[in-house]
Amino acid sequence: MAGMTQAAAREVMDIRQASEYLGISGDTLYRYASEGFIPAFKLGNRWRFKKSLLDAWMDEKSGVKPQAPAVVAPKQKKPAGRAR
């Protein structure tokens, strides 16, 4: 069970993991990475894929507008009372 949680939370994926995540073959993903079509980087001689970049890339390609992060104002401190 802990292994599934770790795999689901993994940010950097290899070709096999990323191809499963995207639902395409490893050969197709390798070609896309080599051509610069999909966001990827090489670590040594192996391709790696950041999940957050793949998600942003899929949103861009599908026409989904990224949501701006909600801005939360810091809590205002109450003014200090006068000393008596």
Side-chain angles (χ1 to χ4, degrees), residues 62-74:
S62 64
V64 175
K65 299 252 183 205
Q67 294 180 350
V71 177
V72 179

Side-chain angles (χ1 to χ4, degrees), residues 6-61:
Q6 182 183 7
R10 181 165 290 163
E11 172 66 14
V12 178
M13 299 180 279
D14 60 17
I15 285 270
R16 182 186 52 78
Q17 294 163 330
S19 66
E20 287 176 11
Y21 180 68
L22 295 171
I24 59 176
S25 75
D27 292 339
T28 300
L29 183 58
Y30 183 85
R31 184 168 28 95
Y32 286 172
S34 298
E35 295 171 354
F37 179 69
I38 197 165
F41 62 95
K42 275 197 154 183
L43 188 59
N45 64 345
R46 300 183 187 264
W47 286 106
R48 295 291 186 246
F49 305 84
K50 282 187 74 173
K51 184 180 180 299
S52 58
L53 293 177
L54 291 177
D55 289 338
W57 177 79
M58 286 189 293
D59 287 346
E60 176 188 325
K61 294 298 179 185

